[in-house]
Amino acid sequence: MSTILEKAKLWLSDTFDATTQQEIQTLINNDPEQLTERFYKNLEFGTGGMRGVMGAGTNRINKYTLGKATQGLANYLKQSFPNKQLKVAIAYDCRHNSNTFAKIVANVLSANNIKVFLFEDMRPTPELSFAVRHLNCDAGIVLTASHNPPEYNGYKVYWNDGSQIVPPNDINIINEVNSLDFSEINFNTNENLIEYIGKPIDNAFIKASVANGTFDTKEREKLKIVYTSLHGTSIKLIPDALAAAGYTDVNIVKEQEVPDGDFPTVASPNPEEPAALKMATELAKKLDADIVIGTDPDSDRIGIAVKNLKGDMQLLNGNQTMSVMTDFLIKNWKKQGKLNRKQFVGSTIVSTNLVNKIADSYGVETHIGLTGFKWIAKMIRDEEGKLDFIGGGEESFGYMVGDFVRDKDAVTATLLACEIAANAKANGSSFYKELIQLYVNHNFYKEHLIAVVKKGMDGAEIISKMMVDLRENPISEIDGSKVEYLHDYQASTKTNLLTGKVESIAIAKSNVLIYETADGTKVAARPSGTEPKIKFYFSVNTPLDNLENATSTESKLDAKIQRIIKEMKLA
C-alpha cells in the first residue's frame, strides 16, 4: 500500500490541476481500495492504443494519461517526419467526455506545433481513417471505447495510410510515451493550429462509400430496412449514405436514434449480442422488414439480422456476414471483368475458413493476419502495386470494402449488406438463402465464441495460467477427432502433434493458440488485449447437400460445439 500511496501523492503536485488533486486526496482519505485500483498499475498504452475506465489516476483515462500519450506521439511524429508541418486528424464518439478529451488531445498537439483537423462533433471511426488519407495527414486519433460499458473511454492512433499503428511504429510510440513524465506534457494550446472539420469531409466520405459499397442493383426502393445506431455515431452518416445510394424505405429505431453515452435502452451497445438488436428486430417483425442493421457506438462494427428459412428474424454472426459479403464482392468483380488472379481478400486467424474456400473458388488469394483490421490494412500496404484488395473482415462483426478506408467500416458495410439483400430479393432469393447456398457449395461452417471474464488484480494472472496450461499440456483429442496441429502464434510455430514436425508461422507474434483436428474442427484461445477476459473460438464444419437439410445439419454442428465446450470444462 505504501508504494500505491507514494504514487498517488505525486498527483497532489502542481503538475496536476486542482480538481484532480482534490479527487485523489478524497480517495487517500476515504477509499484505500479504490485508490489501489487506480494506481496499482499504469494504464497501458498498448499496440492498439488505450482503453480504460475514466477518472483520476495512472490506471484511468483522464487528461493526464491522454496528454502523456499524445505528447509521446507528438515527439515520435517529429522524429519520423522532420522538417515538415505535421498534420493530425482527430475524431471522437458519443461517450461521456469524448468531446472534452478530443479537445485536450488537440491542445497538446497544437502546443507541439502540429496542425490539427478536429471534427466539430462526434463521427464514425471509419470516417477518421478516411480523413487521414483525404487530408494528407501524418497521423490520426479517435477517442472511443467501442462498445465497452459507459464508464469507459479510449484512444486509438492511426498512421498516415489511415490504418491503426503496426510495428515498428506502435512499439516506438509506446517507448516514447513510457519515457515521459507527466510534467513533460505541453498543454500550452495554439488555437491557430486547430481547424474544425465537418460537412465537406462527410460528403466526400459518403461519395466514396457509395462508390465502393454499391453495384448494379435493381429495385433498391423495394428493400424494407430497419436501422439502429444503438445511441451511437453512425446516425451522423448511415441515413444519408443509404439515401445517396437510393434506399428509400429506411425505418430508424427512434428510441435508439439520439446519441447517448449511457446507452439507456441496452445492457451493452454491442451488435454482436441479439439483446442489443431486440428493439430493431421487434420493429422489423411489425413492419415485415427484409433486413435489420445495427452498429456499435463508434460505427465500425455492424450487426445484421435477416429472415431465416422459417421467416423469422435471425441475427447473423460475423463469420456468416463476412462470407456472404466476400462472395458478393468477388462475384461483382468477376462480372466487371476485373479478376485476373492479382486480387486478394483479407481475413484473420480466428475467422471462418469458409472465406478462404469462397475466395479460392474464384481464383482469389486469401491473406490471413492476426485479429484486428490494422493487420488487414498492413496487407494492403504491403501489396500495393502488386495485388488489388477486394475486401476483408473478421469474425467480430467488422468488414472493410475496398481500400479507401483502412479500418473496419460499418457505413460502407451497411450499403453492401443492403445491396446483397436487395439483389437477392429482386432475384427471388434472400440474404439468408445466399448464405445457405454457400454452405451447399463449400460445406456448412458453424462458429461459436465464448468469453471467460476474470476481473480484478488477479484476473490477468488466472488468464495467463490458462494459456500456459494449454501450451504445456496440449489437448490431444477434440470430440473424438485427433488434434493434428497446434498453432502457437506467440512462438511462431505450427506443430504436428502426430508426427512432431514443427514449421514456422510467418505472421506477427501474438498470444494466441489454435488447435486443429483431423476432421477440420478448430479451437482457438486468445486473451483480450483490452479487457480482463480470454476468448475461445470454435469452428466445426460438415457437408450440406441441399437447402432443406440446413436446419438439421446446423443442429448437429451446434451439438458438436456444445460437446467440445463441456469436454474442455468451459461450461
Side-chain angles (χ1 to χ4, degrees):
M1 183 65 192
S2 60
T3 52
I4 298 284
L5 191 58
E6 285 163 18
K7 276 181 80 175
K9 281 184 174 177
L10 293 174
W11 283 56
L12 300 177
S13 73
D14 290 342
T15 296
F16 303 90
D17 61 34
T19 307
T20 301
Q21 291 179 41
Q22 189 176 346
E23 188 175 339
I24 298 303
Q25 188 63 61
T26 302
L27 291 173
I28 290 171
N29 295 345
N30 305 316
D31 199 341
E33 193 177 320
Q34 181 61 211
L35 190 75
T36 300
E37 181 62 33
R38 291 189 185 206
F39 283 97
Y40 81 91
K41 67 173 184 176
N42 294 336
L43 187 64
E44 187 184 348
F45 185 95
T47 55
M50 291 193 301
R51 195 182 293 183
V53 176
M54 292 175 277
T58 58
N59 188 31
R60 290 290 184 267
I61 290 281
N62 53 62
K63 174 181 178 179
Y64 300 98
T65 51
L66 291 173
K68 188 174 166 185
T70 307
Q71 185 63 53
L73 174 62
N75 293 353
Y76 184 66
L77 285 170
K78 287 177 179 180
Q79 296 163 24
S80 302
F81 307 109
N83 307 317
K84 70 170 286 195
Q85 175 59 67
L86 295 166
K87 296 188 289 185
V88 176
I90 302 173
Y92 57 92
D93 70 3
C94 59
R95 288 180 172 271
H96 298 305
N97 304 313
S98 282
N99 56 349
T100 307
F101 289 152
K103 183 59 168 68
I104 289 167
V105 168
N107 292 348
V108 173
L109 290 171
S110 73
N112 284 274
N113 201 35
I114 294 172
K115 168 77 175 175
V116 176
F117 295 102
L118 175 61
F119 275 99
E120 64 194 3
D121 197 359
M122 65 184 76
R123 287 297 190 280
T125 288
E127 189 174 2
L128 183 278
S129 172
F130 173 81
V132 168
R133 291 161 59 79
H134 187 72
L135 297 169
N136 296 312
C137 292
D138 302 291
I141 297 165
V142 178
L143 283 301
T144 179
S146 191
H147 51 262
N148 276 59
E151 64 270 22
Y152 279 76
N153 216 314
Y155 179 95
K156 293 198 292 191
V157 179
Y158 292 73
W159 206 239
N160 59 4
D161 63 341
S163 91
Q164 286 189 58
I165 50 173
V166 294
N169 294 321
D170 55 359
I171 304 302
N172 292 340
I173 293 168
I174 289 165
N175 290 340
E176 194 66 44
V177 172
N178 291 341
S179 73
L180 292 172
D181 187 78
F182 289 110
S183 61
E184 295 175 82
I185 306 166
N186 188 347
F187 285 115
N188 298 317
T189 312
N190 182 350
E191 293 290 351
N192 293 328
L193 286 175
I194 300 174
E195 180 180 334
Y196 290 88
I197 55 174
K199 204 66 187 167
I201 306 296
D202 296 344
N203 294 338
F205 178 71
I206 288 171
K207 186 179 177 183
S209 182
V210 171
N212 283 271
T214 62
F215 297 86
D216 186 22
T217 300
K218 297 176 180 67
E219 301 181 355
R220 290 186 178 114
E221 71 284 354
K222 290 186 180 177
L223 187 75
K224 191 180 285 291
I225 303 162
V226 167
Y227 155 70
T228 176
S229 58
L230 294 178
H231 306 290
T233 60
S234 72
I235 197 72
K236 296 283 184 184
L237 286 188
I238 284 180
D240 289 345
L242 286 168
Y247 290 98
T248 53
D249 197 350
V250 180
N251 304 273
I252 299 172
V253 179
K254 293 295 178 187
E255 299 91 334
Q256 298 175 328
E257 182 179 20
V258 177
D260 187 335
D262 285 323
F263 313 114
T265 64
V266 291
S268 168
N270 184 355
E272 296 179 60
E273 297 170 10
L277 295 187
K278 187 169 185 286
M279 293 177 98
T281 51
E282 284 175 354
L283 180 60
K285 190 176 179 182
K286 185 178 163 188
L287 298 175
D288 193 28
D290 299 298
I291 189 167
V292 168
I293 303 281
T295 56
D296 71 343
D298 67 326
S299 189
D300 57 1
R301 281 183 168 83
I302 181 173
I304 295 169
V306 292
K307 288 178 183 172
N308 61 21
L309 298 177
K310 297 175 186 171
D312 299 326
M313 272 291 161
Q314 181 176 325
L315 176 63
L316 301 179
N317 65 42
N319 287 302
Q320 293 172 318
T321 299
M322 72 183 278
S323 297
V324 179
M325 286 181 169
T326 300
D327 183 69
F328 185 81
L329 278 176
I330 300 175
K331 199 181 288 177
N332 275 281
W333 275 58
K334 186 179 179 182
K335 270 186 201 168
Q336 294 166 5
K338 289 161 64 177
L339 291 187
N340 60 2
R341 295 195 172 270
K342 290 186 177 178
Q343 287 75 37
F344 77 99
V345 296
S347 185
T348 74
I349 57 174
V350 294
S351 297
T352 181
N353 278 5
L354 177 56
V355 165
N356 314 39
K357 289 276 196 76
I358 291 165
D360 190 53
S361 71
Y362 290 99
V364 171
E365 294 180 21
T366 303
H367 289 199
I368 307 291
L370 297 177
T371 302
F373 271 73
K374 64 183 182 180
W375 300 110
I376 297 178
K378 184 178 185 298
M379 295 170 195
I380 298 172
R381 189 166 59 247
D382 291 346
E383 297 297 347
E384 262 167 347
K386 293 175 279 185
L387 295 177
D388 296 323
F389 176 72
I390 294 175
E394 62 180 10
E395 46 64 48
S396 59
F397 287 59
Y399 205 82
M400 179 163 69
V401 185
D403 63 2
F404 78 106
V405 167
R406 303 291 173 96
D407 202 358
K408 53 185 175 283
D409 172 10
V411 180
T412 315
T414 292
L415 296 183
L416 180 60
C418 292
E419 291 287 283
I420 294 165
N423 191 69
K425 188 176 183 179
N427 292 324
S429 180
S430 70
F431 196 115
Y432 197 81
K433 284 179 183 174
E434 295 297 304
L435 171 65
I436 301 301
Q437 189 56 51
L438 290 177
Y439 292 153
V440 172
N441 296 347
H442 306 289
N443 269 19
F444 197 135
Y445 280 77
K446 189 68 195 278
E447 283 78 25
H448 186 68
L449 166 68
I450 62 171
V452 179
V453 179
K454 300 290 180 185
K455 288 185 176 175
M457 284 187 281
D458 57 349
E461 199 177 315
I462 295 168
I463 289 169
S464 177
K465 189 177 185 306
M466 289 172 81
M467 290 299 288
V468 168
D469 288 345
L470 286 167
R471 271 195 179 88
E472 295 183 353
N473 307 296
I475 301 165
S476 58
E477 197 173 278
I478 296 173
D479 194 41
S481 180
K482 287 195 180 300
V483 174
E484 276 192 330
Y485 296 104
L486 173 59
H487 306 253
D488 186 339
Y489 289 88
Q490 190 160 276
S492 298
T493 56
K494 175 184 175 182
T495 305
N496 186 320
L497 296 183
L498 304 179
T499 66
K501 184 183 176 187
V502 180
E503 300 172 54
S504 61
I505 297 173
I507 290 178
K509 290 182 184 292
S510 183
N511 189 17
V512 181
L513 287 173
I514 298 180
Y515 289 94
E516 191 177 348
T517 73
D519 71 356
T521 295
K522 280 169 65 178
V523 178
R526 172 180 167 259
S528 170
T530 54
E531 300 165 89
K533 65 185 178 186
I534 180 169
K535 294 178 178 179
F536 289 90
Y537 304 78
F538 306 89
S539 178
V540 295
N541 74 89
T542 194
L544 176 66
D545 53 0
N546 59 53
L547 188 139
E548 286 70 33
N549 290 329
T551 304
S552 60
T553 301
E554 184 170 19
S555 296
K556 287 174 187 172
L557 292 173
D558 283 335
K560 183 178 177 70
I561 289 169
Q562 291 309 314
R563 287 197 303 272
I564 294 168
I565 290 170
K566 193 173 178 185
E567 192 178 276
M568 291 181 68
K569 297 182 172 61
L570 295 171

